[in-house]
Amino acid sequence: MAVVPYKEQQAGKKEQVAEMFNNISHRYDFLNHFLSLGIDILWRKKAIRLLKKDQPKQILDIATGTGDFAIEALALNPDKVIGVDISEGMLEQGKQKMKRKGLDHIIDMQMGDSEKLLFESNTFDAVIVSFGVRNFENLEKGLSDMFRVLKPGGKTVIIEFSRPRRFPMKQLYNFYFKSILPIIGKLVSKDQSAYTYLPESVEAFPDGKDFLTILEKVGFKSTECRPLTFGISSIYIGQK
């Protein structure tokens, strides 16, 4: 049973996730940094550093949102970064951000579905995702398509929430995620479902070794999981 934001609706997960992000896009950046106390910025920097020695020139950022991870990827000095997302609202915010920062010549924000990427096979040196894979309607299908568009030898680097396993972090995390975060999220974004969906989707996500197993199933090798900040999030790496 797929975890969806709007349980009363008949629409599939993909449509609901797009609608949810459209609804919160105007406050998304603020909430992201505020609710994570800015740690999400450090996580992205750390993930991008793992690609430094590979020097990828063509990078695809999936579920790009407003483009924060795509901007971070510029530290690798690529020729081009393409960010794709299924939410028009998020892309619109992202495009405005790129214009403001004078980055729209190197970062191209496009409408795109992670499970049906409109790119040739073997196109990108790196495929990156931050906090997006747990929103895939079909996780295996999305990861398979990421694998397809990667060049042989190319890498994927994925950041995703995970569940801390140890006391007291596990208890603190659960309290914050289930009691505090939905209240703040609702107040600021005016969309209650978005921030109850977040802990539910993290709970349902196959993290750690389970996720590495799926990466390997779709073809990735040399897979690795690096926990971040007491296991709140993890960086996953795989190579084609």
Side-chain angles (χ1 to χ4, degrees), residues 51-67:
L51 286 167
K52 206 160 180 61
K53 66 176 193 303
D54 301 282
Q55 296 186 310
K57 290 299 168 198
Q58 301 290 330
I59 300 174
L60 177 64
D61 179 27
I62 288 181
T64 190
T66 63

Side-chain angles (χ1 to χ4, degrees), residues 226-240:
R226 300 189 180 198
L228 297 162
T229 317
F230 310 109
I232 293 174
S233 286
S234 301
I235 298 176
Y236 301 96
I237 306 155
Q239 189 165 16
K240 182 165 176 177

